[in-house]
Amino acid sequence: MIAASLYIIACSARNHARVRLRRLREPRYLVGAVVGAAYMYFTFFASFRRQMSGARRRPRAVVDGGARGAQVAALTALGPALAGLGLLAAAAAAWVLPFEGGLLDFSSAEIQFLFPAPVSRRWLLVHRLVRSQLGMLFGCIVVGVLAPSLGGYARLRIGVGVWMLMCAAKMYFTGVTLARARLGPGTARNRRLAWLPAGLIAAAVLVVAVESARAFGGMPADEAPDLVQRLTALTGAQATRVVLAPFAAIASPMFAAWPGPYLLALLASAAVFAVTTAWVLLTDEAFQEVAAVAGEQKARSQPVATSAYRVRGGGWRLDPTGRPETVFVWKAAMRTLRTVDARVVIRLAAITTSVAIAGALRGSSGGLVGAAGGFAMISAVFAVLLGPQMIRMDVRDDLQHLELLKTWPVPASAVVRGELVWPAVLISTVALSLMAVALALSGSTFPHVHVAERIAYGVAGMAVAPGLVLAQLAIQNAGALIFPAWVPLGNQRARGLDAMGQRIITLGGAWLVLAVLALPGVLAGGTIWFVFRRWLGPFVFVPAAGACAAVLLVEALLATEALGPAYERLDIMAIERLE
């Protein structure tokens, strides 16, 4: 079976490469491949060469002297234990969140030909594990290249350790997926076998939580030496060492010295991987459900979702008359409400609100509260700048139904305008919520900035965010209508250098057009700032940001009117269907 798997993988890779090379005849794929290759070179290989040449020119220096060197040495010694804490958190989250290992994601050809074949379910998972090695090896190479200030052999050792970690993680998540399917139904023995690993993980989390309360029960650790000391106390406790032993063993090759400690750490990591694999392959009954799980996963990955939707009322009944834009807003809203679990959203909102309130009441600088505020601010910027690229419930998604949309008696500009409203509201709501959390925790994140300035900057950012989001959505949908061949439809996510280069070109072009569109708004806001700065102080940024956002909103509205003729001229045959 291993030989057959290797043959299938080799033939698939060869045919995939042929298709990719054949596509380079088209200019859009060729340009994308050139840009993608340039990005890979300047991001990875050029930096790798600079690091190596700099390491050869630098004289050797003693790095373990002084207080800073002692802290670095202490953190390095804590590396396996800290990595084990992170792996334990991920292992526990796998039972709560919908994580999957990927080994059950069989292709259509594998479901059609391998499942009816006289092959055991164990060998099917082994086949998927062998098939996944190409992607994991590429990831290990990237990690080894990006590792700073390391020699060639050290990079190789880091890559091997990361490869072992990725294999164990993929096998563990697959076992969790199979165990979750047997938590309720089946015999009592199967339920006990399914609940046993979940109980062990829960007990390990409880032990670490108790020891963490003892280590951090007093005042929070705001200084680096205090934090290192408390982490040392946490990971040095006998109970913590016992429960973290398998997780630390998986990560230990990335921190061990060559050759003896590294080889022993690699052997321990391989032992944990072997135990995880034996757990997944131990029970034959689990593999009777592999076909069903794979079929459900394949159905969820199709553009027309079936089981992913939950039929329930959304609380919004569409009126028989009204503006045509409302139809598209209602459609996208109902799709969101029926695919997203409202209970999860409520829980996340409650947790976020509690953290924000607790951090605002605490009021101290730095520490975990300050880090949470910084994380919320960075996430808000990410949502504003990349959210319109990721949330595609607009023209980019509905182009695959263009033959149906063309039959609707709706003005073209109304179609474009209606497609933009709901994703703009959704992304803006997420961004404004994160900005509110960042503003509430800004006293800990930026303790040296006056409270009036923090409020002014935060409110100004919240004022300009919706305009930036709507303008980017207008740009993205304009690209989809004018250059439909460059836009992936629905849930398509093409891979390869050409696809990566196309995404870089479209994202860079969108940001360039956004900068041009934002220029009039910046001039209007700058004028308000120049005139009223003496009277309003830092709060002058609020009306300036509002003026900039108003200009962006007007430009987006005018863009929807201008895109109407492009929608009318769009040919159905210009849309590249799903592969």
Side-chain angles (χ1 to χ4, degrees):
M1 183 61 189
I2 295 293
S5 298
L6 294 176
Y7 175 78
I8 293 173
I9 293 170
C11 292
S12 299
R14 181 186 60 194
N15 296 333
H16 186 74
R18 287 179 178 177
V19 172
R20 293 291 181 183
L21 292 175
R22 193 179 300 120
R23 291 201 313 185
L24 296 181
R25 301 173 184 173
E26 302 183 32
R28 60 189 175 105
Y29 290 116
L30 179 60
V31 173
V34 171
V35 173
Y39 173 78
M40 292 290 293
Y41 174 78
F42 289 108
T43 302
F44 300 110
F45 300 105
S47 61
F48 173 71
R49 292 179 59 184
R50 287 194 298 268
Q51 290 178 12
M52 295 302 294
S53 60
R56 287 193 295 267
R57 289 194 300 266
R58 282 196 306 267
R60 291 185 176 270
V62 178
V63 296
D64 56 349
R68 185 177 178 182
Q71 294 177 12
V72 173
L75 286 175
T76 304
L78 287 176
L82 295 180
L85 284 173
L87 292 176
L88 174 60
W95 293 92
V96 181
L97 301 178
F99 291 161
E100 296 177 354
L103 294 186
L104 303 180
D105 188 14
F106 292 89
S107 65
S108 300
E110 289 171 335
I111 294 175
Q112 183 177 0
F113 293 104
L114 294 184
F115 278 89
V119 178
S120 66
R121 298 304 187 229
R122 294 184 178 183
W123 279 113
L124 285 178
L125 285 182
V126 172
H127 164 74
R128 284 291 296 123
L129 181 62
V130 174
R131 180 184 158 190
S132 64
Q133 294 304 306
L134 290 178
M136 287 192 290
L137 289 176
F138 178 77
C140 298
I141 292 174
V142 172
V143 172
V145 171
L146 291 180
S149 303
L150 293 178
Y153 291 107
R155 295 176 188 272
L156 178 61
R157 296 198 299 269
I158 290 292
V160 173
V162 172
W163 171 73
M164 187 65 68
L165 172 62
M166 294 175 66
C167 289
K170 186 172 285 291
M171 186 62 70
Y172 173 80
F173 287 129
T174 301
V176 171
T177 303
L178 291 173
R180 279 200 310 242
R182 296 180 288 125
L183 290 178
T187 63
R189 177 178 177 273
N190 288 338
R191 286 197 300 270
R192 285 194 298 269
L193 290 176
W195 279 105
L196 178 60
L200 293 177
I201 293 295
V205 171
L206 180 61
V207 169
V208 173
V210 171
E211 295 296 335
S212 299
R214 293 176 180 174
F216 294 88
M219 294 298 294
D222 293 331
E223 299 295 334
D226 189 19
L227 179 62
V228 172
Q229 182 179 0
R230 299 191 185 207
L231 287 175
T232 303
L234 170 62
T235 57
Q238 182 66 28
T240 306
R241 288 205 306 268
V242 171
V243 299
L244 290 183
F247 303 98
I250 282 289
S252 58
M254 294 181 288
F255 303 92
W258 177 263
Y262 177 81
L263 295 178
L264 292 177
L266 195 62
L267 183 62
S269 179
V272 175
F273 171 64
V275 171
T276 307
T277 304
W279 166 56
V280 176
L281 302 179
L282 183 61
T283 308
D284 292 335
E285 290 83 352
F287 298 96
Q288 302 303 321
E289 303 169 359
V290 171
V293 174
E296 291 176 2
Q297 287 187 341
K298 187 57 62 177
R300 287 197 300 267
S301 64
Q302 296 299 324
V304 181
T306 54
S307 60
Y309 285 90
R310 299 176 179 86
V311 181
R312 58 173 180 258
W316 180 11
R317 187 179 297 275
L318 188 64
D319 295 331
T321 59
R323 293 191 61 85
E325 293 89 349
T326 310
V327 176
F328 298 93
V329 180
W330 178 85
K331 174 183 67 69
M334 291 301 102
R335 175 183 175 183
T336 303
L337 293 176
R338 291 173 180 174
T339 54
V340 176
D341 194 346
R343 294 173 296 180
V344 176
V345 176
I346 294 174
R347 291 169 189 168
L348 291 177
I351 294 173
T352 305
T353 305
S354 302
V355 171
I357 295 175
L361 293 177
R362 181 172 178 267
S364 63
S365 62
L368 296 178
V369 178
F375 177 78
M377 183 180 63
I378 295 174
S379 300
V381 174
F382 180 86
V384 171
L385 294 181
L386 293 179
Q389 177 80 10
M390 300 170 60
I391 304 299
R392 309 170 60 86
M393 294 185 296
D394 47 26
V395 172
R396 291 169 290 176
D397 188 28
D398 284 340
L399 279 181
Q400 53 189 337
H401 308 298
L402 184 62
E403 63 276 7
L404 176 63
L405 292 177
K406 288 282 190 178
T407 63
W408 288 11
V410 178
S413 59
V415 174
V416 179
R417 200 160 40 245
E419 293 277 11
L420 298 181
V421 174
W422 178 253
V425 171
L426 186 62
I427 299 172
S428 299
T429 301
V430 174
L432 293 179
S433 302
L434 292 171
M435 289 181 181
V437 173
L439 181 59
L441 303 180
S442 60
S444 299
T445 309
F446 305 102
H448 302 294
V449 180
H450 194 269
V451 61
E453 296 180 356
R454 297 200 305 265
I455 295 176
Y457 299 153
V459 175
M462 297 173 70
V464 78
L468 292 174
V469 170
L470 187 59
Q472 288 185 87
L473 287 172
I475 295 170
Q476 296 288 345
N477 285 266
L481 293 174
I482 299 174
F483 306 104
W486 284 72
V487 177
L489 299 182
N491 295 326
Q492 271 188 337
R493 288 296 182 270
R495 299 177 180 177
L497 286 178
D498 50 358
M500 182 175 63
Q502 287 180 354
R503 285 192 286 268
I504 293 174
I505 293 173
T506 54
L507 182 60
W511 284 353
L512 180 61
V513 176
L514 177 64
V516 175
L517 291 179
L519 184 59
V522 172
L523 293 177
T527 303
I528 294 176
W529 172 83
F530 182 78
V531 173
F532 298 101
R533 57 176 178 168
R534 294 184 178 178
W535 295 277
L536 298 179
F539 289 97
V540 72
F541 288 99
V542 177
C548 181
V551 173
L552 289 173
L553 293 176
V554 171
E555 289 176 339
L557 181 62
L558 295 177
T560 59
E561 294 291 338
L563 290 174
Y567 174 80
E568 293 286 355
R569 293 192 302 267
L570 187 59
D571 188 5
I572 297 177
M573 300 303 296
I575 307 301
E576 187 172 292
R577 302 296 175 178
L578 293 171
E579 297 179 355

